[in-house]
Amino acid sequence: MEGIYVILILLGAFIVYSIIMLLMQRRIMKSLTEAEFRAGYRKAQLIDIREQKDFEGGHILGARNIPLSQLKMRIKELRPDQPVYLYDQAGIRTGKAAQMIRRHRGIKDIYQLKGGFKLWTGKVKTKKK
């Protein structure tokens, strides 16, 4: 019986932690619809945080690939004087990227594509094989 209580406490702690992180991410970055994203991404740093093979399979025209797994090492590539527009496949990992960018580069203008690349209907570039 005590094991169940421990599991429930751990589960509750995980849920509370997840909610806190979600709220913090919403404060750090703003989610934009595709139309809003299109209106501003050309005047910003457009970053695709998916892995390279996903990026090569298709990405938003003009995007630079900095995978989330490499972001901490490549964070200095981001200019602190320009907004950052982020996207991934479904809009799930951008929150973690935004936290890293805010913490390590001090950039406050961070935006994400709501729904991620899978909902993008604009121009796409693919790597020719």
Side-chain angles (χ1 to χ4, degrees), residues 61-83:
L61 195 61
R64 187 166 30 143
N65 184 224
I66 303 179
L68 182 59
S69 61
Q70 299 174 11
L71 185 59
K72 201 169 192 176
M73 296 178 301
R74 296 178 59 190
I75 201 93
K76 296 252 188 233
E77 293 178 29
L78 299 176
R79 293 180 50 176
D81 62 329
Q82 288 185 339

CSV table of all heavy atoms in Angstrom, one decimal, residues 61-83:
chain,number,residue,atom,x,y,z
A,61,LEU,N,11.3,27.7,-46.1
A,61,LEU,CA,12.2,28.5,-46.9
A,61,LEU,C,12.9,29.6,-46.1
A,61,LEU,O,12.2,30.4,-45.5
A,61,LEU,CB,11.5,29.1,-48.1
A,61,LEU,CG,12.4,29.5,-49.3
A,61,LEU,CD1,13.2,28.4,-49.9
A,61,LEU,CD2,11.5,30.1,-50.4
A,62,GLY,N,14.2,29.6,-46.0
A,62,GLY,CA,14.9,30.6,-45.3
A,62,GLY,C,15.3,30.2,-43.9
A,62,GLY,O,16.0,30.9,-43.2
A,63,ALA,N,14.9,29.0,-43.4
A,63,ALA,CA,15.2,28.5,-42.1
A,63,ALA,C,16.6,28.0,-42.0
A,63,ALA,O,17.2,27.5,-42.9
A,63,ALA,CB,14.2,27.4,-41.7
A,64,ARG,N,17.2,28.2,-40.8
A,64,ARG,CA,18.5,27.7,-40.4
A,64,ARG,C,18.2,26.5,-39.5
A,64,ARG,O,17.4,26.6,-38.6
A,64,ARG,CB,19.3,28.8,-39.7
A,64,ARG,CG,20.7,28.4,-39.5
A,64,ARG,CD,21.5,29.7,-39.1
A,64,ARG,NE,20.8,30.7,-38.5
A,64,ARG,CZ,21.3,31.5,-37.5
A,64,ARG,NH1,22.5,31.3,-37.1
A,64,ARG,NH2,20.6,32.4,-36.9
A,65,ASN,N,19.0,25.5,-39.6
A,65,ASN,CA,18.8,24.3,-38.8
A,65,ASN,C,19.8,24.3,-37.6
A,65,ASN,O,21.0,24.3,-37.8
A,65,ASN,CB,19.1,23.0,-39.6
A,65,ASN,CG,18.8,21.7,-38.9
A,65,ASN,OD1,19.6,20.8,-39.0
A,65,ASN,ND2,17.8,21.7,-38.1
A,66,ILE,N,19.3,24.5,-36.4
A,66,ILE,CA,20.1,24.3,-35.2
A,66,ILE,C,19.3,23.3,-34.4
A,66,ILE,O,18.3,23.7,-33.6
A,66,ILE,CB,20.3,25.6,-34.4
A,66,ILE,CG1,21.0,26.6,-35.3
A,66,ILE,CG2,21.1,25.4,-33.2
A,66,ILE,CD1,21.2,28.0,-34.7
A,67,PRO,N,19.6,22.0,-34.5
A,67,PRO,CA,18.8,21.0,-33.7
A,67,PRO,C,18.8,21.3,-32.2
A,67,PRO,O,19.9,21.7,-31.7
A,67,PRO,CB,19.5,19.7,-34.1
A,67,PRO,CG,20.2,19.9,-35.4
A,67,PRO,CD,20.6,21.4,-35.3
A,68,LEU,N,17.8,20.9,-31.6
A,68,LEU,CA,17.7,21.1,-30.1
A,68,LEU,C,18.8,20.4,-29.4
A,68,LEU,O,19.4,21.0,-28.5
A,68,LEU,CB,16.3,20.6,-29.6
A,68,LEU,CG,16.1,20.8,-28.1
A,68,LEU,CD1,16.1,22.3,-27.7
A,68,LEU,CD2,14.7,20.2,-27.7
A,69,SER,N,19.2,19.3,-29.9
A,69,SER,CA,20.3,18.5,-29.3
A,69,SER,C,21.7,19.3,-29.4
A,69,SER,O,22.6,19.0,-28.7
A,69,SER,CB,20.5,17.1,-30.0
A,69,SER,OG,20.8,17.3,-31.4
A,70,GLN,N,21.8,20.2,-30.3
A,70,GLN,CA,23.0,21.0,-30.5
A,70,GLN,C,22.9,22.5,-30.0
A,70,GLN,O,23.9,23.2,-30.1
A,70,GLN,CB,23.5,21.0,-32.0
A,70,GLN,CG,23.7,19.7,-32.6
A,70,GLN,CD,24.0,19.8,-34.1
A,70,GLN,OE1,24.2,20.9,-34.6
A,70,GLN,NE2,24.0,18.6,-34.7
A,71,LEU,N,21.7,22.9,-29.6
A,71,LEU,CA,21.5,24.3,-29.4
A,71,LEU,C,22.4,24.9,-28.3
A,71,LEU,O,22.9,26.0,-28.5
A,71,LEU,CB,20.0,24.5,-29.0
A,71,LEU,CG,19.5,25.9,-28.8
A,71,LEU,CD1,19.7,26.7,-30.0
A,71,LEU,CD2,18.1,25.9,-28.4
A,72,LYS,N,22.6,24.2,-27.2
A,72,LYS,CA,23.5,24.7,-26.2
A,72,LYS,C,24.9,25.0,-26.7
A,72,LYS,O,25.5,26.0,-26.4
A,72,LYS,CB,23.5,23.7,-25.0
A,72,LYS,CG,23.9,24.4,-23.7
A,72,LYS,CD,23.7,23.4,-22.6
A,72,LYS,CE,23.8,24.1,-21.3
A,72,LYS,NZ,23.5,23.3,-20.1
A,73,MET,N,25.4,24.1,-27.6
A,73,MET,CA,26.7,24.3,-28.1
A,73,MET,C,26.8,25.4,-29.2
A,73,MET,O,27.8,26.1,-29.4
A,73,MET,CB,27.3,23.0,-28.8
A,73,MET,CG,27.4,21.9,-27.8
A,73,MET,SD,28.0,20.4,-28.6
A,73,MET,CE,26.7,20.1,-29.8
A,74,ARG,N,25.7,25.6,-29.9
A,74,ARG,CA,25.6,26.6,-31.0
A,74,ARG,C,24.9,27.9,-30.6
A,74,ARG,O,24.6,28.7,-31.5
A,74,ARG,CB,25.0,25.9,-32.2
A,74,ARG,CG,25.8,24.7,-32.7
A,74,ARG,CD,25.2,24.0,-33.8
A,74,ARG,NE,25.0,24.9,-35.0
A,74,ARG,CZ,24.2,24.6,-36.0
A,74,ARG,NH1,23.7,23.4,-36.1
A,74,ARG,NH2,24.1,25.4,-37.0
A,75,ILE,N,24.6,28.1,-29.4
A,75,ILE,CA,23.7,29.2,-28.9
A,75,ILE,C,24.3,30.6,-29.3
A,75,ILE,O,23.6,31.5,-29.6
A,75,ILE,CB,23.5,29.1,-27.4
A,75,ILE,CG1,22.2,30.0,-27.0
A,75,ILE,CG2,24.7,29.6,-26.6
A,75,ILE,CD1,21.0,29.2,-27.0
A,76,LYS,N,25.6,30.7,-29.4
A,76,LYS,CA,26.3,31.9,-29.8
A,76,LYS,C,26.0,32.3,-31.3
A,76,LYS,O,26.2,33.5,-31.6
A,76,LYS,CB,27.8,31.8,-29.6
A,76,LYS,CG,28.2,31.7,-28.1
A,76,LYS,CD,28.8,32.9,-27.6
A,76,LYS,CE,29.3,32.6,-26.2
A,76,LYS,NZ,28.9,33.5,-25.2
A,77,GLU,N,25.5,31.4,-32.1
A,77,GLU,CA,25.1,31.7,-33.5
A,77,GLU,C,23.9,32.7,-33.5
A,77,GLU,O,23.7,33.3,-34.6
A,77,GLU,CB,24.8,30.5,-34.2
A,77,GLU,CG,26.1,29.6,-34.4
A,77,GLU,CD,25.7,28.3,-35.2
A,77,GLU,OE1,24.8,28.3,-36.0
A,77,GLU,OE2,26.4,27.3,-34.9
A,78,LEU,N,23.2,32.7,-32.4
A,78,LEU,CA,22.0,33.6,-32.4
A,78,LEU,C,22.3,35.0,-32.0
A,78,LEU,O,23.0,35.2,-31.1
A,78,LEU,CB,20.9,33.0,-31.4
A,78,LEU,CG,20.4,31.6,-31.8
A,78,LEU,CD1,19.5,31.1,-30.7
A,78,LEU,CD2,19.8,31.6,-33.1
A,79,ARG,N,21.8,35.9,-32.8
A,79,ARG,CA,22.0,37.3,-32.5
A,79,ARG,C,21.0,37.8,-31.5
A,79,ARG,O,19.8,37.7,-31.6
A,79,ARG,CB,21.9,38.2,-33.8
A,79,ARG,CG,22.9,37.9,-34.8
A,79,ARG,CD,22.8,38.7,-36.0
A,79,ARG,NE,22.6,40.1,-35.7
A,79,ARG,CZ,22.5,41.0,-36.6
A,79,ARG,NH1,22.5,40.7,-37.9
A,79,ARG,NH2,22.3,42.3,-36.3
A,80,PRO,N,21.5,38.5,-30.4
A,80,PRO,CA,20.6,38.9,-29.3
A,80,PRO,C,19.8,40.2,-29.7
A,80,PRO,O,18.8,40.5,-29.1
A,80,PRO,CB,21.5,39.2,-28.2
A,80,PRO,CG,22.9,39.3,-28.7
A,80,PRO,CD,22.9,38.6,-30.0
A,81,ASP,N,20.2,40.8,-30.8
A,81,ASP,CA,19.5,42.0,-31.3
A,81,ASP,C,18.3,41.8,-32.2
A,81,ASP,O,17.7,42.7,-32.7
A,81,ASP,CB,20.5,43.0,-31.9
A,81,ASP,CG,21.1,42.5,-33.1
A,81,ASP,OD1,21.3,41.3,-33.2
A,81,ASP,OD2,21.5,43.3,-34.0
A,82,GLN,N,18.0,40.5,-32.5
A,82,GLN,CA,17.0,40.2,-33.5
A,82,GLN,C,16.0,39.1,-32.8
A,82,GLN,O,16.5,38.3,-32.1
A,82,GLN,CB,17.5,39.5,-34.8
A,82,GLN,CG,18.2,40.5,-35.7
A,82,GLN,CD,18.6,39.9,-37.0
A,82,GLN,OE1,18.7,38.7,-37.1
A,82,GLN,NE2,18.8,40.7,-38.0
A,83,PRO,N,14.7,39.2,-33.2
A,83,PRO,CA,13.8,38.2,-32.7
A,83,PRO,C,14.1,36.8,-33.2
A,83,PRO,O,14.8,36.7,-34.2
A,83,PRO,CB,12.4,38.7,-33.2
A,83,PRO,CG,12.6,40.0,-33.9
A,83,PRO,CD,14.1,40.2,-34.0
